[in-house]
Amino acid sequence: MPAPSSPRRLHLNAFLMNAGHHDAAWRHPRTQPERVTDVRYFQHLAQTAERGKLDSIFFADGLALWGKVKHNALGGFEPLTLLSALATVTERIGLIATVSTTFNEPFHTARKFASLDHLSGGRAGWNIVTSGTVDEARNFGQDEHLEHGLRYDRAREFVEVAVKLWDSWEDDAVLLDRVRGVYADTGKVRPIDHRGEHFAVQGPLNVRRSPQGHPLLVQAGSSEDGKEFAAQYAEAVFTAQQTLADGQGFYKDVKNRLARYGRAGDDLKILPGICPVIGSTEAEARALEQELTDLQVPEYGLAQLSGMLGTDLSGLPLDGPLPVLPEERDINGNKSRFTLVAELARRDGLTLRELIARLGGGRGHRVFAGTPEQIADQLEEWFTQGAADGFNVMPPHLPGGLEDFVDHVVPILQDRGLFRTEYTGRTLREHYGLPRPAGRLAPSVTAAEGQPA
């Protein structure tokens, strides 16, 4: 008789952003914006998330100074460097960093993530992005950004090269034979000899195969190109939907694409973003939400909204509606976020001022204000109704917003049997219930018929 299967449990990732996700968080007395380049601040956040038994923490990244630094606590650490420091003060929690495939090279990227995976004992994850702004392009000698489809073509080849490099060492390549003076079996350390449209890489990687084999592959784009890319390569998806119905539609769409790549539904975890504004009562939570809204600088919000919509909104009346927007096909930045924001404004008949307020906490991700029980109810509903495998938790203010979630929401989810009470694995792949991939490079024949050279 087969053993009963384990109950399905949700996955929780903490998306950490300087003073918090709300664009006015740095002005709130509960935050510490003066510490955004203090490693001890982020070490505390990482340890808090680990105390809550969360699967992972995540740092976004861009290759330009996002937004108007005049009005927000922007800028900070390069994420792989920061995560290396956080690896030394944590033991179990996964460590996910964003790295762009448009303005990096596969060899550098594969080497850095393999290094982080070794440093952390198998806890590294790569959020794969193609970069979405012309400001980033202009930091790399380009006057304009690469076309959206071309960026994804490059990303596909980039990931394929990185995987080949991670597999260029077999797991048992290192012999460490002091007597014979043989450190490694060179028949098991092989060039990849990749020659493609965008990259030519000889290999092998100069880092041995890491504890996870491949770092966890994460993706965050929800355009048509993004969803297809996720179905082919990603093992976790960070996404943004405003309603349960939208979440269910996205979930079903992406999961249904997996079969064409020989993948099963459980091979990919979908984690919508949620920005939880937590209070001991609903009135307290809504009061905190209003406090943050009242601290917003309209100039900042308008500039951010202009970037999302690919339209200059400066000078327009804040209490008026959105102007006529371009078609999605004409957007060369983040297509999925453009569509989400435009539909939100149209659906709810929002003025510019109202839209800026609605986007302040999540930039298009869902914001929900309520008690810990109400937050848990929302997560449970999406999880059990086919809209999520877990959540990308985006605290509106830090460190308190993360502490509130860990101390008050997580125990409710644990009591309901929806979330782990202890870590059962040590690697990020084990947390997400994903197998360690086998090496994919075909063996080569050495002069001694495969014997150590």
Side-chain angles (χ1 to χ4, degrees):
M1 182 175 179
S5 59
S6 300
R8 179 171 173 255
R9 288 187 172 158
L10 56 78
H11 302 283
L12 296 174
N13 172 76
F15 180 178
L16 304 178
M17 182 175 281
N18 284 3
H21 278 271
H22 200 284
D23 60 35
W26 71 278
R27 301 182 68 193
H28 197 277
R30 289 188 67 184
T31 64
Q32 303 170 10
E34 69 279 5
R35 300 186 67 195
V36 300
T37 51
D38 180 352
V39 69
R40 292 167 299 179
Y41 169 71
F42 289 102
Q43 287 174 335
H44 169 73
L45 294 176
Q47 290 169 334
T48 299
E50 187 167 68
R51 176 164 57 81
K53 315 302 179 187
L54 272 60
D55 295 68
S56 47
I57 57 174
F58 160 59
F59 291 95
D61 193 41
L63 297 168
L65 184 60
W66 284 341
K68 286 185 175 289
V69 72
K70 179 179 180 180
H71 299 302
N72 201 353
L74 303 172
F77 290 118
E78 186 280 317
L80 279 168
T81 306
L82 176 58
L83 288 174
S84 295
L86 302 188
T88 66
V89 297
T90 56
E91 295 182 356
R92 296 293 186 94
I93 197 158
L95 308 167
I96 302 174
T98 291
V99 171
S100 169
T101 59
T102 303
F103 301 113
N104 284 287
E105 290 291 320
F107 192 94
H108 281 135
T109 301
R111 184 188 190 195
K112 291 173 183 176
F113 276 106
S115 297
L116 178 61
D117 208 43
H118 279 292
L119 286 169
S120 64
R123 294 186 281 139
W126 172 20
N127 179 45
I128 305 159
V129 302
T130 64
S131 296
T133 70
V134 70
D135 286 340
E136 291 171 285
R138 290 172 182 167
N139 283 335
F140 291 87
Q142 299 177 22
D143 292 330
E144 298 297 333
H145 207 0
L146 293 177
E147 186 271 326
H148 189 271
L150 179 60
R151 297 202 304 271
Y152 272 99
D153 288 342
R154 177 184 167 96
R156 291 183 186 92
E157 187 178 342
F158 193 113
V159 172
E160 288 171 2
V161 174
V163 168
K164 289 178 183 178
L165 287 167
W166 290 324
D167 288 344
S168 62
W169 290 64
E170 293 187 29
D171 287 320
D172 58 352
V174 175
L175 301 177
L176 203 61
D177 188 335
R178 290 184 172 92
V179 174
R180 291 193 299 150
V182 177
Y183 176 73
D185 180 346
T186 52
K188 296 182 178 183
V189 182
R190 298 185 295 276
I192 67 170
D193 292 325
H194 177 89
R195 297 292 183 272
E197 182 179 354
H198 301 282
F199 304 106
V201 181
Q202 175 180 285
L205 194 63
N206 55 354
V207 182
R208 64 186 289 185
R209 200 159 195 259
S210 71
Q212 291 188 110
H214 309 161
L216 186 80
L217 298 181
V218 184
Q219 187 268 352
S222 299
S223 65
E224 283 301 308
D225 285 331
K227 288 185 286 189
E228 201 64 24
F229 183 90
Q232 187 171 2
Y233 297 108
E235 294 163 305
V237 171
F238 297 153
T239 183
Q241 280 84 42
Q242 288 284 323
T243 68
L244 176 63
D246 288 345
Q248 290 168 325
F250 179 88
Y251 187 95
K252 183 178 180 181
D253 182 3
V254 174
K255 295 277 187 172
N256 284 344
R257 296 174 189 239
L258 293 170
R260 72 186 69 169
Y261 299 105
R263 305 180 68 195
D266 287 342
D267 293 341
L268 174 64
K269 312 299 182 184
I270 295 178
L271 284 73
I274 185 166
C275 178
V277 185
I278 304 170
S280 59
T281 65
E282 184 176 347
E284 183 180 301
R286 295 198 178 280
L288 174 58
E289 184 178 36
Q290 189 60 51
E291 286 175 23
L292 291 166
T293 297
D294 291 343
L295 292 172
Q296 283 188 293
V297 178
E299 181 184 345
Y300 180 87
L302 202 61
Q304 183 171 248
L305 186 56
S306 295
M308 290 180 183
L309 296 176
T311 303
D312 183 5
L313 304 174
S314 59
L316 293 178
L318 289 174
D319 294 311
L322 277 178
V324 176
L325 298 175
E327 296 292 327
E328 181 188 306
R329 63 175 178 270
D330 297 324
I331 296 294
N332 195 35
N334 188 328
K335 288 180 181 288
S336 57
R337 195 56 52 87
F338 166 88
T339 301
L340 185 152
V341 172
E343 289 181 352
L344 173 63
R346 283 195 291 263
R347 184 185 72 225
D348 294 352
L350 302 178
T351 65
L352 287 175
R353 189 188 305 276
E354 291 167 337
L355 187 55
I356 289 169
R358 291 281 288 274
L359 297 174
R363 301 173 307 285
H365 291 274
R366 186 164 177 247
V367 179
F368 186 85
T371 65
E373 291 80 5
Q374 289 172 322
I375 301 291
D377 289 345
Q378 291 294 309
L379 302 187
E380 182 173 6
E381 180 181 31
W382 282 51
F383 179 62
T384 59
Q385 298 301 312
D389 295 308
F391 296 89
N392 196 19
V393 181
M394 303 165 58
H397 59 94
L398 290 170
L402 178 62
E403 293 166 345
D404 290 345
F405 187 86
V406 163
D407 292 335
H408 301 295
V409 179
V410 166
I412 295 170
L413 297 173
Q414 292 171 330
D415 288 345
R416 295 180 184 182
L418 295 170
F419 190 62
R420 69 172 67 86
T421 55
E422 293 293 340
Y423 289 111
T424 56
R426 300 202 70 88
T427 71
L428 180 53
R429 288 184 169 278
E430 288 172 332
H431 299 342
Y432 279 88
L434 296 168
R436 185 180 188 274
R440 302 181 194 177
L441 282 187
S444 60
V445 179
T446 65
E449 291 298 322
Q451 296 303 306

